[in-house]
Every structure is written in C-alpha cells, then in structure tokens.
Amino acid sequence: MDGSIMPTRMLLDIEDLTVRFVTREATVHAVNGVNLQVQAGEVLCILGESGSGKSVTLRALMRLLPAGRTRIEGRITLDGQDVLSLDRKRLQAMRGGLVSMIFQEPMTALDPVYTVGAQIIETVRQHRGGSQRDARARALELFELVKIPSPERRLDAYPHELSGGLRQRAMIAMALSCAPKLLLADEPTTALDATVQIQVLILLRRLQREMGMGTIFVTHDLGVASEIADRIAVMYAGRIVEEGPVADILNNPKHPYTQGLMASTVHAQDRQADIAAIPGSPPDLRRLPAGCSFRPRCAAALAACRERVPTPVFPAANHMARCFRVAAEMGEGA
Amino acid sequence: MAHTLAVTTPTDLEPDVLPANVVRGYWQSVAYRLRHDPVTLFFGMVILLIILAAIFAPWIAPYDPYKESVIARLKPFGWRGHLIGTDELGRDLLTRIIYGGRISLFMGLAPVAVATVVGGALGILAGFGGRRVNTVIMRTMDVFYAFPSVLLAVAISGAMGGGIANGMIALSMVFTPALCRISETATAQVRNLDFIEAARASGAGTFTILRFHVLGNVLGPIFIYASSLVSVSILLASGLSFLGLGVKPPEPDWGLMLSTLRQSIYVNPWICAMPGAAIFITSICFNLVSDGIRAAMDVRM
C-alpha cells in the first residue's frame, strides 16, 4: 500500500488475500485481493453487509476454512510468522495462543454438554499444560476480568443456564485465556440485546486497551463500529473499498458505497422521510461483474468503472478509497 | 451516528438471573429426574435384584444346579421343597434359573458393551472423517445391516460353532452396525456446529475435538440406544441357545432351558414356562428402565 505511512511494527499484515470456494458447479469469489494491516494495540473495524467477505477474511486468517474446497492466495504475516505456510503443530499453537476469536452466537459457540468452566479449563490446558487446579484458578481470574458476577458459581454453569450477555462474556473469557496478541471478533454483539451490546462493547474496548491487543472487529453496524474502532475498513464484494481513521470515514466518507451506508442509517432524517437506501443488491459472488463491483448500484459511476477495478487512491493521509470518482475529484482539486 | 454511552458499569444492567440452587450439572439433573420416576426406579430395583441373585447364586440357590434325580423329574410347584418344581432331569428349577441368570445376563450385556465401543468408535470415525472414510465404514456396515438380525446371529455362530464365546461374538457383530449408524448420525450433526469451529479456533487438535466435544455430545444418544438393545440381546442369546448354537448343556441358561423343557410341555406346562418368564421379566425390566433413562436424558432445559 504505497502512500500510507508504514508504522514500525505490524502485528498483522495481509497482502493481496484472495479466497475462492471451488465447487463442481461454481467458483465463489469470496475475497478478492484484500490488503490489511493491524498494529499492536489497534482496533480495526471491518464494516460490510452480509456476504461481503468479512467473516471469510477472518477465517482465512485463522485457516479455519475447509481445506479441500478453498483456494487461498496471498500472504498473511502474523507476528512475523507466515500463517499460510504454518504446519499443523504451529498452527494449533497460533490458534488460541497468538490469535483467538469471538463468535457471533455464544449459545452455539459453546459446547452445550460441558460447563463453561470446563471449556475454559480445557483451552487453558491445551496451550499451557499445568494441573486442573491451576487452569481453574486461571478460569476464575478470567471470569473476574470479564466482570461476570459470582464467577466461582458461574464456572460450574452450563451455557444454557447463562443469559446471552453472560454467555458472550464467558466466550470472551475463553478467547482471552492465553492472552492473545490479536483478537478477532466476528459480530460479537449482533446476537445480543441493545443494552447488553453496549456493555459488551465497553468491556471489549477496556480489555483490548488493558491487554494491548490488536483487534479486528467485524460488524455491519455503523454505530458499533463508531464506538470501538480506531480505523475502519469498508468491505464490498470481497474488496476493501474504503479504509481510514474512524473519524475520517464517519465524517467524510469518500466512496459512494460508504456514503450510501451512512445515508441509510436511521439517524439524520426527518421523522416522516423515508430512509435512504442503496438501490439494488450485492453482486453474485459467483459471477462478479468486470470493473468496480459496486458500479451497478452506484449513482456516480463513470465510464472507467465498467472496465477496470479502481486502484486505491488517497484523498487524505491514511485514508484510502478505491473509486474512480474520488480519483477524478482529487484530480480536479489539485 | 454515535450511541450515547450513558451506561455506568458493564454489569449493573444485567440481572443476576441465576438463583443459587439452579446451578447443577447435566448428570445431576438426569439423576434428579430419575429419582422422581417411580416406574424406572422400581424396575431398576428388579434388575438389580436379578443381577445380585446371579452374582451370589451359590449362596442364594437352594440346591446344586447340576444334581439330577431320576425320581424327581418334572415335579410341580412346591414339591418337597422345590419352590417352582424340577426340570426334566430332576434338577431344582429355581436353582437353575438363578444360575442361568449369570450366562443370560452376561449374554445380554457383554455383546452390547462390545458393540457400543466398537460401533461407537467406528461411527464417530465415519462421521468425522472425510467422505472416503465414511463410505468405507458405512457401506461395510450396510452389508451387515442387510441381514435380519436373528438370521445374522444364527449364521455367524453357526459358521463359528456354538459356545458362549462365539455366541457373544456373533451378537456383537449383530449390534455393531446399528450402534455405528447411530453414532455416525449423531457425529455428523455435531461436526458442523459452531462450537467445533470455536474449539478449532482456540487451538484444539482433531483428537482433542473428538475426545472432548464430539464424544461428549454423542455419548448420550449412543448410550440410550445401547440400553434399549440389552433386552434384545438377552432374547437373541436365548434364541441362539434354544437353537443349540449358544450354551451347551448341562450349563444352565434360560434359552437353553426353554429349549429342553419344551418337550415336556404336555407333562407340566407351568414348569416349562418358568425360564420364559425369567427372560420376559428381565427384558421388560431393561426396556422400561432404558425408556426411563431416555426420558430423563432427553430433556434439554
């Protein structure tokens, strides 16, 4: 990414990541050339609608995608390790140790037949060994860290006995059990009530700061993104169409898609006015149109959009957009 | 755009939903429901009595199970201290039935236990392994499935010759495919759930996932199904003995006793019915208890 200021120490560096799902009938182009960097201690929010490739990017990063049907290209460097070429043993040490993941639906991401304590203990012992008692002490510590009330008793509770918010806290405790350097959160608040959502967000933000974790937070909720992110990357049809510091993106979105997203929130309108919506629907990832994927829905499309995928331009330092219109406007301004 | 963050502390909005007495384990709640199910409890006690009687047969049984008497053949209930009479060789029937429980119960439980371990393991392997592993295991099982179970048991023990050991192997082979299928289905249901991916994401290897998550979720259905097979196994074992493929005389076994006594059915029908009654009572007890356990384990709160 020429033009951006390269910080000295990158925790995560994704270069030109491509993920395709190959089946007999069709090839799904889920991720098409994604570049992402995350520094230690930074929160990057990936914003996008369903099917834009957010979750696939996270899963590619942890190599959780089914090996047989998935083609992954590009480079993922995490803490100096080349993730895509790790052997099984190193990979298992990486997962949960160096990087861990919080899932969207804590009810199904926790095993129903074991207590949450038993599951955390299992994870701790997986990575650190040690006795049952030490692992339990660590689990208790984690429960206190994520502010679960009466933690000692909650350790022996089954997932179905906890409320949604507590379940997600238990999930977070499990993810943090081995003090990862990078935390991946796949829509961790989507399944929660609005009030609980905010609590979990505050908790995550606090823990992230205290532990100095780099974090990738995937969401489709602009409000959530604005709360937690340092930087926002907007994803559309497997590409990052705009990326920059949170204030820049929210106050001064450049890409027509980001602008459309902002306009379609319930916030700024009149009571009577209809909510602005982006016309059309996301493209079929099996048959991506040539040129800019957003062009069919874009009100500001140019002739060039039909032919080529826009190259990144930088309307401001650290603010990237992939759009010919933005490039043209910059040209006029100069 | 921005939410207002007026919430003070993260936890104070979340009610403490869990009263102290609710926290209890899955197995504890299963045990709780079993304790409050009089039918299951009663028949469980009967099974316990039958098992204890079989184990302590030498101390409980009033006579020697092998002692024959020419003058005391096929005597009715209560004849000279023989509570339920004597068999065709003048041996005390009650003693024979108590001793017979040893082999019959063993033949009921052992094949099911073997099949649970073997079939369960194969099923998990088939359910979790790739498509090729699945095909090899499940199609092999289908070959066994194609035969009616009685016929298969008769064919296998017929081919290998009679005797307790061969009978047990035959019955194990009869039950393995069914248990394999149950465990394969249960595993296939579990393998794509989120917590498997979550476990993988937290660094668990395939073996750990199998041992911890898959086994934990699959054991319940397997166990329930296996417990319902015990009574079938007792019946099949009796059937094998009846056909002369299981236990050899003079060894006491319920099926074998039924077989030899049937020739005397016109002389003293009540006596002839006794081994059958033992089989009936035992298998119905196992059936009802298995039903009760299933009901107690099924409830997901």
Side-chain angles (χ1 to χ4, degrees):
Chain A
M1 284 181 54
D2 48 316
S4 67
I5 299 155
M6 286 291 266
T8 42
R9 169 126 167 70
M10 273 306 164
L11 178 60
L12 172 72
D13 191 358
I14 300 180
E15 286 169 73
D16 205 25
L17 178 72
T18 307
V19 181
R20 282 169 299 153
F21 297 116
V22 182
T23 60
R24 220 169 293 166
E25 295 85 33
T27 301
V28 178
H29 300 266
V31 176
N32 307 299
V34 159
N35 290 289
L36 271 182
Q37 277 92 17
V38 177
Q39 280 172 268
E42 180 191 39
V43 180
L44 171 72
C45 218
I46 302 181
L47 196 65
E49 55 198 302
S50 313
S52 58
K54 307 166 296 196
S55 299
V56 175
T57 307
L58 289 197
R59 280 171 173 73
L61 166 52
M62 284 195 107
R63 283 184 45 194
L64 285 173
L65 299 166
R69 289 174 282 132
T70 320
R71 306 275 175 277
I72 303 180
E73 280 154 29
R75 253 182 105 75
I76 301 175
T77 315
L78 176 61
D79 203 32
Q81 294 182 75
D82 180 7
V83 172
L84 295 180
S85 65
L86 286 180
D87 58 26
R88 199 170 48 96
K89 217 171 168 186
R90 292 231 177 87
L91 187 64
Q92 279 172 18
M94 180 201 88
R95 292 170 177 165
L98 188 58
V99 49
S100 60
M101 189 150 165
I102 304 169
F103 288 78
Q104 177 174 352
E105 184 36 91
M107 185 66 214
T108 55
L110 291 167
D111 193 331
V113 301
Y114 295 103
T115 62
V116 284
Q119 296 180 54
I120 295 176
I121 288 167
E122 177 74 17
T123 307
V124 171
R125 295 185 70 185
Q126 181 88 32
H127 287 280
R128 300 191 166 175
S131 71
Q132 182 82 14
R133 184 182 294 183
D134 292 346
R136 194 182 159 90
R138 172 72 183 151
L140 189 62
E141 203 177 290
L142 289 161
F143 264 37
E144 282 160 2
L145 187 71
V146 298
K147 293 253 157 62
I148 291 181
S150 20
E152 181 81 50
R153 202 147 53 75
R154 261 18 182 275
L155 276 179
D156 296 319
Y158 286 80
H160 69 260
E161 294 171 331
L162 298 177
S163 68
L166 285 184
R167 240 178 259 145
Q168 193 57 289
R169 280 166 200 267
M171 189 81 224
I172 293 170
M174 198 150 119
L176 298 182
S177 57
C178 299
K181 287 185 180 171
L182 180 66
L183 182 68
L184 308 179
D186 188 2
E187 308 209 24
T189 58
T190 309
L192 304 175
D193 292 345
T195 49
V196 180
Q197 247 183 34
I198 298 170
Q199 297 164 25
V200 169
L201 277 184
I202 296 172
L203 174 75
L204 271 176
R205 188 65 168 149
R206 199 200 70 208
L207 291 173
Q208 177 269 328
R209 286 215 178 106
E210 279 173 11
M211 300 172 75
M213 281 181 297
T215 304
I216 299 182
F217 200 100
V218 160
T219 182
H220 58 250
D221 187 334
L222 276 167
V224 168
S226 69
E227 291 302 339
I228 196 156
D230 293 320
R231 257 181 331 124
I232 292 184
V234 181
M235 236 177 143
Y236 186 79
R239 289 196 185 92
I240 290 178
V241 293
E242 185 161 8
E243 186 193 336
V246 62
D248 278 14
I249 299 281
L250 293 177
N251 300 329
N252 194 12
K254 292 291 182 193
H255 196 282
Y257 177 63
T258 318
Q259 287 167 352
L261 280 184
M262 300 293 166
S264 60
T265 49
V266 197
H267 226 262
Q269 288 92 347
D270 234 310
R271 230 164 235 273
Q272 274 77 28
D274 285 342
I275 296 166
I278 306 173
S281 50
D284 186 346
L285 293 175
R286 287 169 298 185
R287 286 182 297 268
L288 277 181
C292 175
S293 309
F294 188 60
R295 192 213 21 100
R297 303 171 73 184
C298 182
L302 300 171
C305 302
R306 197 178 285 275
E307 286 146 25
R308 283 171 291 125
V309 175
T311 44
V313 290
F314 293 86
N318 288 328
H319 188 158
M320 182 280 283
R322 273 171 176 269
C323 181
F324 286 126
R325 170 69 68 180
V326 176
E329 280 164 9
M330 283 168 65
E332 284 162 24
Chain B
M1 177 93 10
H3 288 296
T4 44
L5 296 178
V7 185
T8 45
T9 65
T11 51
D12 60 6
L13 268 180
E14 217 156 309
D16 208 355
V17 287
L18 216 58
N21 57 351
V22 172
V23 180
R24 61 164 178 253
Y26 174 67
W27 292 107
Q28 275 165 287
S29 62
V30 169
Y32 174 85
R33 282 191 288 273
L34 278 179
R35 271 202 306 278
H36 291 78
D37 178 358
V39 177
T40 307
L41 274 188
F42 174 77
F43 287 102
M45 295 295 273
V46 176
I47 290 180
L48 201 66
L49 279 180
I50 295 173
I51 291 174
L52 286 177
I55 292 172
F56 297 107
W59 291 275
I60 296 170
Y63 295 91
D64 178 348
Y66 301 108
K67 184 154 187 304
E68 299 165 8
S69 160
V70 188
I71 50 161
R73 286 161 53 188
L74 293 169
K75 293 300 176 197
F77 290 1
W79 186 80
R80 285 194 193 166
H82 296 284
L83 197 61
I84 55 170
T86 57
D87 72 359
E88 78 285 356
L89 292 174
R91 298 168 293 200
D92 180 58
L93 198 57
L94 182 63
T95 305
R96 302 264 311 159
I97 283 181
I98 291 172
Y99 272 92
R102 293 181 147 189
I103 293 170
S104 287
L105 284 174
F106 175 76
M107 290 297 272
L109 293 169
V112 174
V114 171
T116 302
V117 174
V118 176
L122 283 174
I124 289 174
L125 209 63
F128 209 78
R131 199 184 307 160
R132 224 163 285 163
V133 179
N134 184 291
T135 306
V136 170
I137 293 176
M138 294 319 286
R139 293 302 81 79
T140 312
M141 290 299 148
D142 283 349
V143 172
F144 286 92
Y145 237 137
F147 298 97
S149 53
V150 179
L151 194 65
L152 184 62
V154 170
I156 296 170
S157 54
M160 294 191 304
I164 296 176
N166 286 349
M168 207 196 83
I169 293 170
L171 289 179
S172 304
M173 285 170 82
V174 169
F175 295 132
T176 300
L179 278 158
C180 178
R181 174 154 295 179
I182 293 283
S183 105
E184 189 247 2
T185 311
T187 308
Q189 279 167 359
V190 167
R191 68 177 286 185
N192 290 324
L193 295 180
D194 281 0
F195 60 81
I196 300 286
E197 192 186 30
R200 194 163 275 145
S202 64
T206 307
F207 179 72
T208 309
I209 290 175
L210 282 177
R211 177 181 59 80
F212 193 75
H213 295 287
V214 175
L215 200 61
N217 279 277
V218 163
L219 221 48
I222 293 180
F223 178 71
I224 288 169
Y225 186 69
S227 70
S228 75
L229 283 180
V230 172
S231 60
V232 180
S233 182
I234 291 176
L235 288 174
L236 275 180
S238 302
L240 285 183
S241 304
F242 183 88
L243 294 171
L245 289 169
V247 184
K248 294 272 179 260
E251 223 53 54
D253 168 84
W254 296 341
L256 186 64
M257 287 158 72
L258 202 59
S259 165
T260 50
L261 278 169
R262 82 179 192 283
Q263 285 144 2
S264 322
I265 196 156
Y266 298 111
V267 182
N268 196 337
W270 285 107
I271 300 284
C272 306
M274 283 303 110
I279 294 170
F280 171 74
I281 291 170
T282 310
S283 64
I284 205 161
C285 284
F286 271 108
N287 259 333
L288 289 167
V289 168
S290 144
D291 268 1
I293 292 174
R294 183 176 58 219
M297 283 175 70
D298 242 11
V299 187
R300 281 271 162 86
M301 289 161 295

